[in-house]
Amino acid sequence: MAYYQNYNSLVKHCKDALGAPVNSIELTDDEIADKIRDSVLPEFSQYVPFNSYVKIAQNDKVDNPDTINTETYIIPNENEDHINSISEAYYASQGINSSIISYYADPRDTVMANTYSDMISSLQEVQNYEFIQPDKVMFGTPLDGNAVILKLNIIPQRLDQVPSDLYIKLLKPMAEKSILEVILNRRTKFQNLSTPFGEVALDVDTLRMRIDVLKQEINEKLDWLPTKHLIEFL
Protein backbone atom coordinates (compact mmCIF):
# COMPACT_ATOMS: atom_id res chain seq x y z
CA MET A 1 0.00 0.00 0.00
CA ALA A 2 1.26 3.49 -0.79
CA TYR A 3 1.61 5.72 2.24
CA TYR A 4 -0.88 8.25 0.83
CA GLN A 5 -3.80 5.79 0.53
CA ASN A 6 -5.85 6.95 3.49
CA TYR A 7 -8.91 9.08 4.14
CA ASN A 8 -6.94 12.13 5.29
CA SER A 9 -5.05 12.24 2.00
CA LEU A 10 -8.17 11.72 -0.12
CA VAL A 11 -10.12 14.36 1.82
CA LYS A 12 -7.27 16.82 1.27
CA HIS A 13 -7.27 16.02 -2.44
CA CYS A 14 -11.00 16.85 -2.66
CA LYS A 15 -10.57 20.07 -0.68
CA ASP A 16 -7.63 21.14 -2.84
CA ALA A 17 -9.83 20.67 -5.90
CA LEU A 18 -12.22 23.25 -4.40
CA GLY A 19 -9.44 25.73 -3.76
CA ALA A 20 -8.99 25.23 -0.02
CA PRO A 21 -7.79 26.91 2.09
CA VAL A 22 -8.09 30.09 -0.03
CA ASN A 23 -11.74 29.30 -0.77
CA SER A 24 -14.02 28.38 2.11
CA ILE A 25 -15.75 25.01 1.83
CA GLU A 26 -19.13 24.27 3.39
CA LEU A 27 -18.27 20.64 4.17
CA THR A 28 -16.31 19.33 7.12
CA ASP A 29 -13.55 16.75 6.74
CA ASP A 30 -15.79 14.16 8.41
CA GLU A 31 -18.63 14.87 5.97
CA ILE A 32 -16.29 14.44 3.01
CA ALA A 33 -14.90 11.18 4.41
CA ASP A 34 -18.43 9.88 5.07
CA LYS A 35 -19.45 10.68 1.49
CA ILE A 36 -16.45 8.76 0.16
CA ARG A 37 -17.14 5.82 2.43
CA ASP A 38 -20.92 5.68 1.90
CA SER A 39 -21.23 6.60 -1.79
CA VAL A 40 -17.94 6.61 -3.67
CA LEU A 41 -16.57 3.24 -2.53
CA PRO A 42 -19.84 1.36 -3.28
CA GLU A 43 -19.92 2.91 -6.77
CA PHE A 44 -16.23 2.14 -7.29
CA SER A 45 -16.84 -1.47 -6.25
CA GLN A 46 -19.40 -1.89 -9.03
CA TYR A 47 -16.62 -1.45 -11.59
CA VAL A 48 -13.71 -2.95 -9.67
CA PRO A 49 -14.76 -6.19 -7.93
CA PHE A 50 -13.60 -6.80 -4.40
CA ASN A 51 -13.88 -10.42 -3.31
CA SER A 52 -12.94 -12.40 -0.26
CA TYR A 53 -13.17 -16.14 0.31
CA VAL A 54 -14.19 -17.30 3.77
CA LYS A 55 -14.66 -20.74 5.23
CA ILE A 56 -17.85 -21.50 7.15
CA ALA A 57 -17.34 -24.28 9.69
CA GLN A 58 -19.43 -25.88 12.42
CA ASN A 59 -18.14 -23.50 15.09
CA ASP A 60 -19.65 -20.56 13.14
CA LYS A 61 -23.18 -21.94 13.52
CA VAL A 62 -25.71 -19.86 15.46
CA ASP A 63 -29.11 -20.76 16.88
CA ASN A 64 -32.09 -19.53 14.87
CA PRO A 65 -35.36 -20.68 16.51
CA ASP A 66 -37.46 -18.97 13.81
CA THR A 67 -36.45 -21.44 11.10
CA ILE A 68 -37.06 -25.16 10.57
CA ASN A 69 -34.74 -27.55 8.68
CA THR A 70 -32.27 -24.76 8.03
CA GLU A 71 -28.94 -23.74 9.54
CA THR A 72 -27.63 -20.21 10.09
CA TYR A 73 -23.93 -19.30 10.32
CA ILE A 74 -21.95 -16.18 11.15
CA ILE A 75 -19.69 -15.11 8.27
CA PRO A 76 -16.10 -14.45 9.44
CA ASN A 77 -15.15 -10.86 8.71
CA GLU A 78 -11.73 -10.08 10.14
CA ASN A 79 -11.28 -6.91 8.05
CA GLU A 80 -14.70 -5.56 9.10
CA ASP A 81 -15.67 -5.03 5.46
CA HIS A 82 -19.21 -4.33 4.39
CA ILE A 83 -20.49 -7.59 2.87
CA ASN A 84 -22.63 -6.70 -0.11
CA SER A 85 -23.66 -10.20 -1.19
CA ILE A 86 -22.55 -13.80 -1.59
CA SER A 87 -21.40 -14.56 -5.11
CA GLU A 88 -20.84 -18.32 -4.83
CA ALA A 89 -20.79 -21.09 -2.24
CA TYR A 90 -19.00 -24.45 -2.39
CA TYR A 91 -18.79 -27.53 -0.22
CA ALA A 92 -15.22 -28.01 0.90
CA SER A 93 -13.03 -30.43 2.78
CA GLN A 94 -12.46 -29.77 6.46
CA GLY A 95 -8.78 -29.83 5.55
CA ILE A 96 -8.98 -26.32 4.14
CA ASN A 97 -7.59 -24.30 7.01
CA SER A 98 -7.57 -20.74 5.66
CA SER A 99 -10.44 -18.76 7.16
CA ILE A 100 -10.17 -15.73 4.88
CA ILE A 101 -8.24 -14.78 1.76
CA SER A 102 -8.46 -11.28 0.28
CA TYR A 103 -7.21 -10.77 -3.26
CA TYR A 104 -6.40 -7.11 -2.69
CA ALA A 105 -4.17 -7.49 0.35
CA ASP A 106 -0.91 -7.76 -1.62
CA PRO A 107 -0.19 -8.10 -5.37
CA ARG A 108 2.41 -10.76 -4.54
CA ASP A 109 -0.42 -13.08 -3.58
CA THR A 110 -1.52 -13.42 -7.22
CA VAL A 111 -0.08 -16.90 -7.69
CA MET A 112 -1.60 -18.16 -4.46
CA ALA A 113 -4.94 -16.56 -5.36
CA ASN A 114 -5.03 -18.26 -8.76
CA THR A 115 -4.13 -21.61 -7.24
CA TYR A 116 -6.85 -21.18 -4.67
CA SER A 117 -9.33 -20.22 -7.40
CA ASP A 118 -8.50 -23.38 -9.36
CA MET A 119 -9.18 -25.41 -6.24
CA ILE A 120 -12.49 -23.63 -5.65
CA SER A 121 -13.65 -24.28 -9.20
CA SER A 122 -13.35 -28.03 -8.66
CA LEU A 123 -15.60 -28.05 -5.60
CA GLN A 124 -19.28 -28.86 -5.48
CA GLU A 125 -21.47 -25.77 -5.54
CA VAL A 126 -24.05 -25.16 -2.79
CA GLN A 127 -27.40 -24.35 -4.38
CA ASN A 128 -29.73 -23.46 -1.51
CA TYR A 129 -28.53 -20.56 0.64
CA GLU A 130 -29.59 -17.05 1.56
CA PHE A 131 -27.48 -14.08 2.66
CA ILE A 132 -28.82 -12.31 5.75
CA GLN A 133 -27.56 -8.76 6.27
CA PRO A 134 -25.16 -7.84 7.67
CA ASP A 135 -23.07 -10.97 8.35
CA LYS A 136 -25.04 -14.23 8.32
CA VAL A 137 -25.83 -16.96 5.81
CA MET A 138 -28.71 -19.43 6.03
CA PHE A 139 -28.54 -22.81 4.29
CA GLY A 140 -31.74 -24.53 3.24
CA THR A 141 -30.13 -27.93 3.74
CA PRO A 142 -28.20 -28.81 6.93
CA LEU A 143 -24.47 -29.00 6.32
CA ASP A 144 -24.08 -32.09 8.52
CA GLY A 145 -20.69 -30.94 9.70
CA ASN A 146 -19.33 -30.11 6.23
CA ALA A 147 -17.35 -26.94 5.67
CA VAL A 148 -18.45 -24.42 3.03
CA ILE A 149 -16.39 -21.85 1.14
CA LEU A 150 -18.17 -18.55 0.41
CA LYS A 151 -17.09 -16.09 -2.24
CA LEU A 152 -18.13 -12.69 -0.90
CA ASN A 153 -18.71 -9.47 -2.78
CA ILE A 154 -17.50 -6.79 -0.40
CA ILE A 155 -17.37 -3.02 -0.21
CA PRO A 156 -14.06 -2.31 1.51
CA GLN A 157 -13.92 0.42 4.12
CA ARG A 158 -10.13 0.73 4.06
CA LEU A 159 -8.47 2.53 1.18
CA ASP A 160 -5.38 0.34 1.45
CA GLN A 161 -7.44 -2.46 -0.10
CA VAL A 162 -7.63 -0.55 -3.39
CA PRO A 163 -4.83 -1.30 -5.89
CA SER A 164 -2.55 1.75 -6.04
CA ASP A 165 -2.94 2.32 -9.78
CA LEU A 166 -6.74 2.26 -9.59
CA TYR A 167 -6.67 4.46 -6.49
CA ILE A 168 -4.83 7.17 -8.41
CA LYS A 169 -6.45 6.79 -11.83
CA LEU A 170 -10.05 6.07 -10.86
CA LEU A 171 -10.95 6.38 -7.16
CA LYS A 172 -9.46 9.86 -6.66
CA PRO A 173 -11.33 11.45 -9.59
CA MET A 174 -14.53 9.63 -8.58
CA ALA A 175 -14.21 11.03 -5.05
CA GLU A 176 -13.47 14.51 -6.36
CA LYS A 177 -16.49 14.41 -8.69
CA SER A 178 -18.79 13.22 -5.91
CA ILE A 179 -17.74 15.99 -3.51
CA LEU A 180 -17.98 18.62 -6.23
CA GLU A 181 -21.53 17.43 -6.97
CA VAL A 182 -22.49 17.80 -3.31
CA ILE A 183 -21.09 21.34 -3.25
CA LEU A 184 -22.81 22.20 -6.54
CA ASN A 185 -26.19 20.94 -5.32
CA ARG A 186 -25.90 23.13 -2.25
CA ARG A 187 -24.64 26.24 -4.01
CA THR A 188 -27.26 26.25 -6.78
CA LYS A 189 -29.88 27.04 -4.12
CA PHE A 190 -28.26 30.34 -3.24
CA GLN A 191 -26.95 33.42 -4.99
CA ASN A 192 -24.81 34.38 -2.02
CA LEU A 193 -23.80 32.06 0.76
CA SER A 194 -22.44 32.86 4.21
CA THR A 195 -21.24 30.03 6.43
CA PRO A 196 -19.50 29.70 9.81
CA PHE A 197 -16.36 29.24 7.72
CA GLY A 198 -16.76 32.64 6.06
CA GLU A 199 -18.09 33.93 2.75
CA VAL A 200 -18.18 31.28 0.04
CA ALA A 201 -17.39 32.01 -3.59
CA LEU A 202 -20.11 29.99 -5.32
CA ASP A 203 -18.51 29.58 -8.77
CA VAL A 204 -21.43 27.41 -9.90
CA ASP A 205 -20.52 27.50 -13.59
CA THR A 206 -16.91 26.56 -12.85
CA LEU A 207 -18.06 23.64 -10.73
CA ARG A 208 -20.34 22.36 -13.49
CA MET A 209 -17.52 22.53 -16.02
CA ARG A 210 -15.11 20.70 -13.72
CA ILE A 211 -17.69 17.98 -12.99
CA ASP A 212 -18.32 17.47 -16.71
CA VAL A 213 -14.58 17.12 -17.35
CA LEU A 214 -14.24 14.59 -14.53
CA LYS A 215 -17.21 12.58 -15.82
CA GLN A 216 -15.61 12.34 -19.24
CA GLU A 217 -12.23 11.34 -17.78
CA ILE A 218 -13.82 8.71 -15.54
CA ASN A 219 -15.88 7.22 -18.38
CA GLU A 220 -12.79 6.99 -20.58
CA LYS A 221 -10.90 5.16 -17.84
CA LEU A 222 -13.83 2.82 -17.22
CA ASP A 223 -13.89 1.95 -20.92
CA TRP A 224 -10.28 0.79 -20.62
CA LEU A 225 -10.87 -1.38 -17.56
CA PRO A 226 -10.58 -5.13 -18.19
CA THR A 227 -13.59 -7.31 -17.52
CA LYS A 228 -14.48 -8.15 -13.93
CA HIS A 229 -13.18 -11.67 -14.44
CA LEU A 230 -9.74 -10.37 -15.42
CA ILE A 231 -9.59 -7.72 -12.68
CA GLU A 232 -10.31 -10.33 -10.05
CA PHE A 233 -7.14 -12.26 -10.85
CA LEU A 234 -4.77 -9.49 -11.96
Side-chain angles (χ1 to χ4, degrees), residues 24-61:
S24 299
I25 299 172
E26 56 270 38
L27 283 176
T28 67
D29 288 5
D30 288 342
E31 287 174 325
I32 295 175
D34 287 343
K35 180 66 175 177
I36 295 170
R37 186 180 297 108
D38 297 338
S39 299
V40 179
L41 277 175
E43 180 184 1
F44 179 80
S45 300
Q46 292 180 4
Y47 302 106
V48 181
F50 286 81
N51 302 117
S52 287
Y53 287 100
V54 300
K55 184 184 75 171
I56 299 294
Q58 197 64 28
N59 59 329
D60 299 312
K61 186 177 178 180

Side-chain angles (χ1 to χ4, degrees), residues 31-188:
E31 287 174 325
I32 295 175
D34 287 343
K35 180 66 175 177
I36 295 170
R37 186 180 297 108
D38 297 338
S39 299
V40 179
L41 277 175
E43 180 184 1
F44 179 80
S45 300
Q46 292 180 4
Y47 302 106
V48 181
F50 286 81
N51 302 117
S52 287
Y53 287 100
V54 300
K55 184 184 75 171
I56 299 294
Q58 197 64 28
N59 59 329
D60 299 312
K61 186 177 178 180
V62 296
D63 293 332
N64 191 349
D66 298 329
T67 61
I68 301 175
N69 296 327
T70 61
E71 293 182 345
T72 302
Y73 292 78
I74 290 284
I75 299 174
N77 190 9
E78 296 178 1
N79 291 330
E80 298 182 354
D81 293 316
H82 174 77
I83 303 174
N84 192 37
S85 62
I86 298 174
S87 176
E88 299 167 355
Y90 302 91
Y91 290 110
S93 167
Q94 291 287 356
I96 298 176
N97 296 319
S98 175
S99 61
I100 182 166
I101 294 177
S102 176
Y103 284 123
Y104 285 91
D106 191 327
R108 292 172 295 183
D109 292 337
T110 300
V111 174
M112 182 179 68
N114 287 335
T115 302
Y116 193 82
S117 176
D118 291 340
M119 179 179 66
I120 290 295
S121 65
S122 66
L123 300 176
Q124 180 183 358
E125 188 170 358
V126 180
Q127 299 293 337
N128 191 7
Y129 63 88
E130 177 183 354
F131 175 54
I132 303 173
Q133 290 279 6
D135 60 355
K136 292 184 178 66
V137 57
M138 183 175 66
F139 296 97
T141 302
L143 300 183
D144 295 327
N146 292 316
V148 169
I149 298 294
L150 301 179
K151 180 181 179 182
L152 305 177
N153 297 321
I154 65 172
I155 300 175
Q157 300 300 293
R158 300 195 332 266
L159 298 181
D160 62 357
Q161 294 172 275
V162 179
S164 295
D165 58 337
L166 292 176
Y167 174 86
I168 295 171
K169 296 178 181 178
L170 189 57
L171 182 60
K172 287 181 71 174
M174 288 179 71
E176 180 183 340
K177 179 182 75 71
S178 180
I179 299 305
L180 290 175
E181 287 173 339
V182 173
I183 297 293
L184 177 63
N185 289 336
R186 294 188 178 189
R187 293 186 181 183
T188 50

Side-chain angles (χ1 to χ4, degrees), residues 191-207:
Q191 292 184 344
N192 298 296
L193 182 61
S194 297
T195 75
F197 309 100
E199 291 291 330
V200 174
L202 299 183
D203 297 328
V204 171
D205 292 336
T206 302
L207 286 175

